[in-house]
Amino acid sequence: MTEFELITALTARLPTNDFVVRGAGDDCAVLELGSPGTQTLLKTDAVVEGIHFLPETEPARVGHKALARALSDIAAMGGTPTAALISLGLPRQFDPQRIQELYRGLNRLAARYQVAVVGGETTTNPERLWISVTVLGTVPRGQALLRSGAKMGDALFVTGELGGSLLGKHLDFEPRLDEGRWLAESGRVHAMMDVSDGLAGDLGHLLTASGGLGADLWAAALPISPAAKEQARQSDLSKPARVAALSDGEDFELVFAVPPGQAVPLLDGWKARFPQVRLSCIGKITAEPGIRLRTEDGIRPLNMKGYEHFS
Amino acid sequence: MTEFELITALTARLPTNDFVVRGAGDDCAVLELGSPGTQTLLKTDAVVEGIHFLPETEPARVGHKALARALSDIAAMGGTPTAALISLGLPRQFDPQRIQELYRGLNRLAARYQVAVVGGETTTNPERLWISVTVLGTVPRGQALLRSGAKMGDALFVTGELGGSLLGKHLDFEPRLDEGRWLAESGRVHAMMDVSDGLAGDLGHLLTASGGLGADLWAAALPISPAAKEQARQSDLSKPARVAALSDGEDFELVFAVPPGQAVPLLDGWKARFPQVRLSCIGKITAEPGIRLRTEDGIRPLNMKGYEHFS
C-alpha cells in the first residue's frame, strides 16, 4: 500500500458534522461556525529537518517557510489568514538561539499579514527539528475557491514562474495571499489550488476533483523560472527546464481555471493590480481526461511527473 | 536556557491582532471571529513515539490518546469541540494497518463527541511516528474558563482521581468535555485548567496566571487513584502514592476554583449530574504565593514536583 493509497483509505471514512462545508481533500477545510458573513478555513502543515530544510539552513528562513506553506493554502482558497498555532518537536540537544531565530522569521511573516500567533506547544522529537503550523483563516461566505469547480473549455492560468524552487525560492517565497483574495473577489474563477507538488501532479488533483476532466497545456506558454534553467545548465543529469517547470515541487504558485470569456478581462485586471507578478495562460480544460502538452512537434500525454509519454 | 525559559522568551513577543481574545498561555487560544453568540477555541497538541506511547502500544489507543489530549484542553475552557486536523509524521517503513488502526481509535472518539475530522497531512519523520492534532471548538461568548480568574479564598476542586496514569489511563482517558461544559454553564467557576503535567505544577500555572496567588491543599482530601497506590506498591523505589497524585503527568482531570459560597451548591449539582465522577474539594486559594500541603503533621511548602520541602 502506497502512502497515497493509505491517505485515500483514511480520508474515505472520516467523521463529519453539520459545521463542515468542505472536509479533507482541498487546500483547506471550510467550516461554517455561525458568523453571518464569513466561513472559516483551517489548514495544518509540517516541515521536518532533513526533508524540507537542512540542519544548516538559516533558521529564520525555516520559520518563514513553515508558516508560508500554510498561508499558501489559505491563499489558494481566496482567504485571509487570522491566527496560527505552532507545534515544535525539539531534538534532545537544541540550540535556543536557533529556535528564537526560527520564530523571528515566522513572526516577521505573520506580522506582515496581520496573522496572530496564538500559541502552540513544544515536545521532543529526538533526532530532528519538527515544526507543525496550523492556520485559521476566513473567507466571505460562498467565496472560497475549491479545486472542484473547473469546467470544460475553461482557460488555465498560473501565477509567477515555475521550477527550480530548491535553488532558494522554497525557503523565501511569498504566499500569494493578496493575489488569491483578489481572484476570489473577482468572481471569475471556477477552481483554484496552490502548486506545491509540481504543476503536472497538482493540476491532476484539480482535474480529478472537478469530475475527471483533462487539460491541454501549451509548452511555449509555460512560465519557466530562471532557476529551472539554471538548474538544467548546472548538470547534464538535471531534468530539462521545461520538465522542471512541470514537475518540481514547492513552487507555491496558484493555478486556476476561468471561463474562456473571462480570460482577457481577468488578465487586464491582473496587470493593473499586480503589475510585478507574472500571470500566464498555460492551456485549457478539456472533456478528455489526462494532461497533454502541445509543443512545436505535436501534442503528447504528460505523466504526473511532467514527462511526456512517447508512444 | 531551559525549555521553559525558551517558551517564555518566545511567547513574550508573538504577533497579535483584533481577533484574539486570549493568545498563548492558556489551555486553548480564544478567538473572536464574528459569530454573534460564540467564540472560537483553538489548540494543537502532538504525541511522539517513544515519548507519549511505545512502538508496541496498540495503535487504536494511540489514536484515541492523540485526539483526547487536545479535547481535554477544549474541556478545560468549558468548550465544545467542532473539528480536528491530523498531521502525521510517518517513519520510512510504516505499516499501513497500524495507521488505519490508529485512525480507527481516533475516529471513534471523534464520532462520540460529534467532532469532524476535516483533513490534515502526511509527511515523513524517519525515526518515529508523530501525530499532531489540532482541534477547533466553540464556547458561548464570554463563557470560556481561563486560568487567570482565581480569587483569594476560592475553594479548589479537582475531578476524578490523580496519579499512576502511566499504568493505563494515559491511553484510555475520557476527556472531561461534558463536565467542563457543565461547569462553564454553571457560572460558578472563576478559573479552570486541565491537569496534564501533574497537579502541583499545573496548579502553579493557574496561580501565576491569576496574579501570583497561592494555595493550601489538604492531603487527606486528595483523590489518590488506585493506580497511584498500585504503582507505589510495585516497587520500593516508586514515589509514595500521595506524591504521585500531586506530580504524575497525564491525569487529564480538571482543576478549578470557585467562590467559597458556591462550593456546596456546586457539589450538590455535580452529584446530581455526574453521579459516577468523583469531585473533590482539595483546598483553597490564598493570598500568600506558593503551594502548601496540610497533613496531620502540619503544613509545609510543596515544590512543583509535588514533594514537600522540609526545612
Side-chain angles (χ1 to χ4, degrees):
Chain A
M1 185 182 249
T2 66
E3 187 175 320
F4 183 77
E5 288 166 341
L6 173 64
I7 293 169
T8 305
L10 294 176
T11 53
R13 39 170 186 264
L14 296 173
T16 188
N17 61 32
D18 291 345
F19 299 100
V20 181
V21 177
R22 186 77 180 87
D26 218 304
D27 295 274
C28 297
V30 185
L31 301 173
E32 181 66 79
L33 297 179
S35 167
T38 61
Q39 291 169 322
T40 299
L41 304 174
L42 207 55
K43 175 69 187 185
T44 192
D45 191 78
V47 293
V48 186
E49 184 173 336
I51 294 170
H52 303 92
F53 61 93
L54 298 173
E56 59 270 26
T57 307
E58 301 92 311
R61 298 172 86 192
V62 174
H64 175 96
K65 175 174 184 169
L67 177 61
R69 284 169 57 102
L71 294 184
S72 179
D73 285 302
I74 300 283
M77 309 295 287
T80 302
T82 305
L85 289 173
I86 316 300
S87 196
L88 281 183
L90 296 176
R92 293 229 191 267
Q93 298 297 326
F94 69 91
D95 171 8
Q97 197 169 351
R98 183 183 183 202
I99 307 301
Q100 288 181 294
E101 275 296 296
L102 186 153
Y103 260 77
R104 199 174 57 78
L106 191 153
N107 287 345
R108 191 172 45 196
L109 178 62
R112 182 143 77 243
Y113 292 102
Q114 292 88 52
V115 178
V117 178
V118 292
E121 54 119 30
T122 312
T123 185
T124 302
N125 193 43
E127 296 82 8
R128 51 187 75 228
L129 184 59
W130 169 290
I131 307 117
S132 200
V133 175
T134 298
V135 175
L136 179 146
T138 61
V139 65
R141 176 178 310 280
Q143 213 178 81
L145 291 175
L146 306 180
R147 298 180 177 181
S148 55
K151 300 270 182 290
M152 204 248 291
D154 279 356
L156 271 172
F157 285 88
V158 71
T159 63
E161 296 173 329
L162 303 176
S165 178
L166 271 182
L167 292 194
K169 182 183 175 186
H170 77 109
L171 291 168
D172 303 319
F173 70 97
E174 199 65 22
R176 297 281 186 206
L177 282 162
D178 296 339
E179 296 87 345
R181 195 163 36 227
W182 182 85
L183 288 166
E185 285 166 359
S186 78
R188 301 184 196 271
V189 178
H190 275 165
M192 184 157 78
M193 69 181 293
D194 77 336
V195 184
S196 54
D197 294 329
L199 177 65
D202 284 336
L203 181 55
H205 294 310
L206 185 146
L207 296 169
T208 301
S210 295
L213 297 170
D216 285 354
L217 302 183
W218 307 314
L222 290 172
I224 301 172
S225 75
K229 293 171 188 164
E230 172 63 27
Q231 187 178 261
R233 264 196 306 273
Q234 278 177 6
S235 158
D236 287 348
L237 298 175
S238 300
K239 48 190 164 184
R242 184 164 82 198
V243 176
L246 286 163
S247 67
D248 279 359
E250 309 215 293
D251 279 321
F252 300 107
E253 297 294 347
L254 300 175
V255 59
F256 56 93
V258 305
Q262 302 284 344
V264 171
L266 183 112
L267 257 174
D268 287 346
W270 179 278
K271 282 177 188 155
R273 177 67 181 80
F274 302 107
Q276 74 291 15
V277 182
R278 193 161 161 186
L279 181 65
S280 308
C281 184
I282 57 169
K284 64 175 181 187
I285 302 280
T286 61
E288 188 191 343
I291 304 176
R292 288 154 302 276
L293 187 70
R294 184 180 294 277
T295 70
E296 57 275 24
D297 303 324
I299 185 159
R300 271 195 295 267
L302 272 188
N303 69 13
M304 294 276 287
K305 299 285 183 199
Y307 283 93
E308 300 164 43
H309 291 289
F310 294 90
S311 50
Chain B
M1 185 180 249
T2 66
E3 187 176 319
F4 183 78
E5 288 166 342
L6 173 64
I7 293 170
T8 305
L10 294 176
T11 53
R13 40 171 185 262
L14 296 174
T16 189
N17 62 31
D18 292 345
F19 299 100
V20 180
V21 178
R22 187 76 181 88
D26 220 303
D27 294 275
C28 298
V30 185
L31 301 173
E32 182 65 78
L33 298 178
S35 167
T38 61
Q39 290 171 323
T40 298
L41 305 174
L42 208 55
K43 174 68 186 187
T44 193
D45 189 78
V47 294
V48 185
E49 184 173 334
I51 293 169
H52 303 92
F53 61 93
L54 298 173
E56 59 269 25
T57 307
E58 301 91 310
R61 298 172 86 191
V62 174
H64 174 96
K65 175 173 183 171
L67 177 60
R69 284 168 58 102
L71 295 184
S72 179
D73 284 303
I74 300 284
M77 309 295 287
T80 301
T82 304
L85 289 173
I86 317 300
S87 197
L88 282 182
L90 296 176
R92 293 231 191 265
Q93 298 297 327
F94 69 90
D95 171 8
Q97 196 170 350
R98 183 185 183 201
I99 307 303
Q100 289 181 293
E101 275 296 296
L102 185 154
Y103 259 77
R104 197 173 59 76
L106 191 154
N107 286 345
R108 192 172 42 195
L109 178 63
R112 182 145 74 245
Y113 292 103
Q114 292 88 52
V115 178
V117 179
V118 293
E121 55 119 30
T122 311
T123 186
T124 301
N125 193 43
E127 296 83 7
R128 51 185 78 228
L129 184 59
W130 169 292
I131 306 117
S132 199
V133 175
T134 299
V135 175
L136 179 147
T138 61
V139 65
R141 175 180 309 282
Q143 214 176 80
L145 291 175
L146 306 180
R147 297 179 178 181
S148 54
K151 300 269 182 293
M152 204 246 293
D154 280 356
L156 270 172
F157 285 88
V158 71
T159 63
E161 296 173 331
L162 302 175
S165 178
L166 270 183
L167 293 195
K169 182 183 176 187
H170 77 109
L171 292 168
D172 302 319
F173 69 97
E174 199 66 23
R176 298 282 186 205
L177 283 162
D178 296 338
E179 295 87 345
R181 194 162 38 225
W182 183 85
L183 288 166
E185 286 166 0
S186 78
R188 302 184 195 271
V189 178
H190 275 164
M192 184 157 78
M193 70 181 294
D194 77 335
V195 184
S196 54
D197 294 330
L199 177 66
D202 285 335
L203 180 55
H205 295 310
L206 185 146
L207 297 169
T208 302
S210 295
L213 296 170
D216 285 353
L217 302 183
W218 307 314
L222 289 172
I224 302 173
S225 75
K229 293 173 189 164
E230 171 63 27
Q231 188 178 259
R233 264 196 305 273
Q234 278 176 9
S235 158
D236 287 349
L237 298 175
S238 301
K239 47 189 165 184
R242 185 164 83 198
V243 176
L246 286 163
S247 67
D248 279 0
E250 308 216 292
D251 279 320
F252 300 108
E253 297 294 346
L254 300 175
V255 61
F256 56 92
V258 305
Q262 301 284 345
V264 172
L266 183 113
L267 256 174
D268 287 345
W270 179 278
K271 281 177 188 156
R273 177 67 180 80
F274 302 107
Q276 74 291 16
V277 182
R278 193 161 161 184
L279 181 64
S280 308
C281 184
I282 57 169
K284 64 174 182 189
I285 303 280
T286 62
E288 188 191 344
I291 304 177
R292 287 154 303 275
L293 186 69
R294 183 180 295 276
T295 68
E296 57 274 25
D297 302 325
I299 186 159
R300 270 195 296 268
L302 272 188
N303 69 12
M304 294 277 287
K305 299 286 183 199
Y307 284 93
E308 300 163 44
H309 290 290
F310 294 89
S311 51

